[in-house]
Amino acid sequence: MVGRIYSQAQPTPTYLEVLLALSDIAPIVPFEITTLSSGELKQRISMMPCKYPENGFDFMVLFSEDGVVRDLKLYLDD
């Protein structure tokens, strides 16, 4: 899933490109953006491929103030 998102937004994906790639797959729900002590920004984004929220996917995106994505991971809340 993460590979597909990166393939649509290469070579250096921006925050907006990641949002667009996720929303092309399924509806998304972005949560509050958190500023880290390093100055980078972190946000959890839920992707809802069906009407049951427990079947969705959560992603964590880490990006700089200028919108360049540093890391994108599938978030597992165990």
Side-chain angles (χ1 to χ4, degrees):
M1 182 75 70
V2 173
R4 178 179 174 179
I5 294 163
Y6 273 115
S7 71
Q8 292 181 3
Q10 287 292 343
T12 306
T14 65
Y15 171 72
L16 292 177
E17 288 174 329
V18 168
L19 288 181
L20 286 172
L22 286 171
S23 65
D24 281 346
I25 298 167
I28 61 170
V29 177
F31 290 88
E32 184 176 331
I33 295 175
T34 304
T35 303
L36 303 176
S37 60
S38 64
E40 293 182 316
L41 305 168
K42 177 176 81 170
Q43 184 177 38
R44 189 181 85 176
I45 301 170
S46 289
M47 188 170 62
M48 307 301 203
C50 68
K51 65 180 181 178
Y52 303 105
E54 63 272 8
N55 293 335
F57 299 96
D58 287 343
F59 293 89
M60 280 297 201
V61 61
L62 181 67
F63 57 100
S64 63
E65 288 182 357
D66 61 354
V68 175
V69 172
R70 304 284 187 221
D71 200 8
L72 175 67
K73 294 186 179 183
L74 186 60
Y75 177 72
L76 301 175
D77 185 20
D78 292 341

